[in-house]
Coordinates of all heavy atoms in Angstrom, one line a residue:
C29 N 152.0 126.0 118.7 CA 151.0 126.9 118.0 C 151.6 128.3 117.9 O 152.2 128.8 118.9 CB 149.7 126.9 118.7 SG 148.5 128.0 117.8
Y30 N 151.5 128.9 116.7 CA 152.1 130.2 116.5 C 151.0 131.2 116.1 O 150.0 130.9 115.5 CB 153.1 130.1 115.3 CG 154.1 128.9 115.3 CD1 153.7 127.7 114.7 CD2 155.3 129.0 116.0 CE1 154.6 126.7 114.7 CE2 156.1 127.9 116.1 CZ 155.8 126.8 115.4 OH 156.7 125.7 115.5
L31 N 151.3 132.5 116.5 CA 150.4 133.5 116.3 C 151.0 134.7 115.7 O 152.1 135.1 116.1 CB 149.7 134.0 117.7 CG 148.9 135.3 117.6 CD1 147.6 135.1 116.8 CD2 148.6 135.7 119.1
S32 N 150.4 135.3 114.7 CA 150.8 136.6 114.1 C 149.6 137.6 114.4 O 148.5 137.2 114.2 CB 151.0 136.5 112.6 OG 151.2 137.8 112.0
K33 N 150.0 138.8 114.8 CA 149.0 139.8 115.1 C 149.0 140.9 114.0 O 148.3 141.9 114.2 CB 149.3 140.5 116.4 CG 149.4 139.5 117.6 CD 149.8 140.2 118.9 CE 150.0 139.3 120.0 NZ 150.5 140.0 121.3
D34 N 149.8 140.7 113.0 CA 149.9 141.7 112.0 C 149.8 141.1 110.5 O 150.6 141.4 109.7 CB 151.2 142.5 112.2 CG 152.4 141.6 112.2 OD1 152.3 140.4 111.9 OD2 153.5 142.1 112.6
Y35 N 148.8 140.3 110.3 CA 148.6 139.7 109.0 C 149.7 138.9 108.5 O 150.0 138.8 107.3 CB 148.3 140.8 108.0 CG 147.0 141.6 108.3 CD1 147.1 142.8 108.9 CD2 145.8 141.2 107.8 CE1 146.0 143.6 109.2 CE2 144.6 141.9 108.1 CZ 144.7 143.1 108.8 OH 143.6 143.9 109.0
G36 N 150.5 138.2 109.4 CA 151.5 137.3 109.0 C 152.9 137.9 108.8 O 153.8 137.2 108.4
K37 N 153.1 139.2 109.2 CA 154.4 139.8 109.1 C 155.4 139.2 110.1 O 156.5 138.9 109.8 CB 154.3 141.3 109.2 CG 153.5 142.0 108.1 CD 153.5 143.5 108.3 CE 152.7 144.2 107.2 NZ 152.6 145.6 107.4
T38 N 154.9 139.2 111.4 CA 155.8 138.7 112.5 C 155.0 137.6 113.2 O 153.8 137.6 113.2 CB 156.2 139.8 113.4 OG1 155.0 140.4 114.0 CG2 157.0 140.9 112.7
W39 N 155.8 136.7 113.9 CA 155.2 135.5 114.5 C 155.8 135.3 115.9 O 156.9 135.7 116.2 CB 155.5 134.3 113.7 CG 154.8 134.3 112.4 CD1 155.2 134.9 111.2 CD2 153.5 133.8 112.1 NE1 154.3 134.8 110.2 CE2 153.2 134.1 110.7 CE3 152.6 133.0 112.8 CZ2 152.1 133.6 110.1 CZ3 151.4 132.6 112.2 CH2 151.2 132.9 110.8
Q40 N 155.0 134.7 116.8 CA 155.5 134.3 118.1 C 154.9 132.9 118.5 O 153.8 132.6 118.0 CB 155.1 135.3 119.2 CG 153.6 135.4 119.4 CD 153.2 136.5 120.4 OE1 152.6 137.5 120.0 NE2 153.5 136.3 121.6
T41 N 155.6 132.1 119.2 CA 155.1 130.8 119.7 C 154.2 131.1 121.0 O 154.7 131.7 121.9 CB 156.3 129.9 120.1 OG1 157.1 129.7 118.9 CG2 155.7 128.6 120.6
I42 N 153.0 130.6 120.9 CA 152.1 130.9 122.1 C 151.6 129.7 122.8 O 151.1 129.8 123.9 CB 150.8 131.7 121.6 CG1 150.1 130.9 120.5 CG2 151.2 133.0 121.0 CD1 148.7 131.4 120.2
F43 N 151.9 128.5 122.3 CA 151.4 127.2 122.9 C 152.5 126.2 122.7 O 152.9 126.0 121.6 CB 150.1 126.8 122.4 CG 149.5 125.6 123.1 CD1 148.8 125.7 124.3 CD2 149.7 124.3 122.6 CE1 148.2 124.6 124.9 CE2 149.1 123.2 123.2 CZ 148.4 123.4 124.4
D44 N 152.8 125.5 123.8 CA 153.8 124.3 123.7 C 153.1 123.1 124.4 O 152.8 123.1 125.6 CB 155.0 124.7 124.5 CG 156.1 123.6 124.5 OD1 155.8 122.6 123.9 OD2 157.2 123.8 125.0
L45 N 152.8 122.1 123.6 CA 152.2 120.9 124.0 C 152.9 120.2 125.1 O 152.3 119.6 126.0 CB 151.9 120.0 122.8 CG 151.2 118.7 123.0 CD1 149.8 118.9 123.7 CD2 151.0 118.0 121.7
A46 N 154.2 120.3 125.1 CA 155.1 119.7 126.1 C 154.8 120.2 127.5 O 155.1 119.5 128.5 CB 156.5 119.8 125.8
T47 N 154.2 121.3 127.6 CA 153.9 121.9 129.0 C 152.6 121.4 129.6 O 152.3 121.6 130.8 CB 153.9 123.4 128.9 OG1 152.7 123.9 128.1 CG2 155.2 124.0 128.3
V48 N 151.8 120.7 128.8 CA 150.5 120.3 129.3 C 150.3 118.8 129.3 O 149.3 118.3 129.8 CB 149.3 120.9 128.5 CG1 149.4 122.5 128.7 CG2 149.3 120.6 127.0
T49 N 151.2 118.0 128.6 CA 151.1 116.6 128.6 C 152.4 115.9 128.3 O 153.3 116.5 127.7 CB 150.1 116.1 127.5 OG1 150.0 114.7 127.5 CG2 150.5 116.5 126.1
T50 N 152.6 114.7 128.9 CA 153.8 113.9 128.6 C 153.4 112.7 127.8 O 154.1 111.7 127.8 CB 154.5 113.5 129.9 OG1 153.5 112.9 130.7 CG2 155.0 114.8 130.6
G51 N 152.2 112.7 127.3 CA 151.6 111.5 126.6 C 152.5 111.1 125.4 O 152.8 112.0 124.5
I52 N 152.8 109.9 125.3 CA 153.6 109.4 124.2 C 152.7 109.3 122.9 O 151.5 108.8 123.0 CB 154.1 108.0 124.5 CG1 155.1 108.0 125.7 CG2 154.8 107.4 123.3 CD1 155.5 106.7 126.2
G53 N 153.1 109.8 121.8 CA 152.4 109.7 120.6 C 151.5 110.9 120.3 O 150.8 111.0 119.3
V54 N 151.5 111.9 121.2 CA 150.7 113.1 120.9 C 151.3 114.1 119.9 O 152.5 114.1 119.8 CB 150.4 113.8 122.2 CG1 149.6 113.0 123.2 CG2 151.6 114.3 122.9
H55 N 150.5 114.9 119.3 CA 150.9 116.0 118.5 C 149.8 117.0 118.4 O 148.6 116.7 118.7 CB 151.5 115.6 117.2 CG 150.6 115.0 116.2 ND1 150.9 114.7 114.9 CD2 149.3 114.6 116.4 CE1 149.9 114.1 114.3 NE2 148.9 114.0 115.2
M56 N 150.1 118.2 117.8 CA 149.1 119.2 117.7 C 148.1 118.9 116.6 O 148.5 118.2 115.6 CB 149.8 120.6 117.4 CG 150.6 121.1 118.5 SD 149.6 121.5 120.0 CE 148.5 122.8 119.4
H57 N 146.9 119.3 116.7 CA 145.9 119.2 115.7 C 145.3 120.6 115.3 O 145.9 121.2 114.4 CB 144.7 118.3 116.2 CG 145.0 116.9 116.1 ND1 144.1 115.9 116.5 CD2 146.0 116.2 115.6 CE1 144.6 114.7 116.3 NE2 145.7 114.8 115.8
G58 N 144.2 121.0 115.8 CA 143.5 122.2 115.3 C 143.8 123.5 116.1 O 144.3 123.4 117.2
A59 N 143.5 124.6 115.4 CA 143.6 125.9 116.0 C 142.5 126.8 115.4 O 142.1 126.6 114.2 CB 144.9 126.5 115.8
C60 N 141.9 127.6 116.2 CA 140.8 128.5 115.7 C 140.9 129.8 116.5 O 140.9 129.8 117.7 CB 139.5 127.8 115.9 SG 138.1 128.8 115.4
F61 N 140.8 130.9 115.8 CA 140.6 132.2 116.4 C 139.1 132.5 116.4 O 138.4 132.5 115.4 CB 141.3 133.4 115.6 CG 141.2 134.7 116.4 CD1 142.2 135.0 117.3 CD2 140.2 135.5 116.2 CE1 142.2 136.2 118.0 CE2 140.1 136.7 117.0 CZ 141.1 137.1 117.8
D62 N 138.5 132.6 117.6 CA 137.1 132.8 117.8 C 136.8 134.2 118.0 O 137.0 134.8 119.1 CB 136.7 132.0 119.1 CG 135.3 132.0 119.5 OD1 134.5 132.9 118.9 OD2 134.9 131.2 120.3
P63 N 136.2 134.9 117.0 CA 136.0 136.3 117.0 C 134.8 136.7 118.0 O 134.7 137.9 118.3 CB 135.7 136.7 115.6 CG 135.1 135.5 115.0 CD 135.8 134.3 115.7

């Protein structure tokens, strides 16, 4: 999962699924910024 703090000008990786599961067949789904 990637985050921009400046309306999409610059980006950083903030979440890596490989650090929380070793499940075969998994991949990322949704993301939401909760104001």
Side-chain angles (χ1 to χ4, degrees):
C29 179
Y30 312 93
L31 170 67
S32 172
K33 303 175 185 177
D34 53 12
Y35 297 95
K37 293 180 182 179
T38 60
W39 295 83
Q40 64 184 113
T41 302
I42 60 169
F43 184 84
D44 181 359
L45 183 55
T47 64
V48 298
T49 180
T50 56
I52 298 170
V54 296
H55 65 172
M56 292 298 296
H57 277 181
C60 176
F61 189 90
D62 181 346

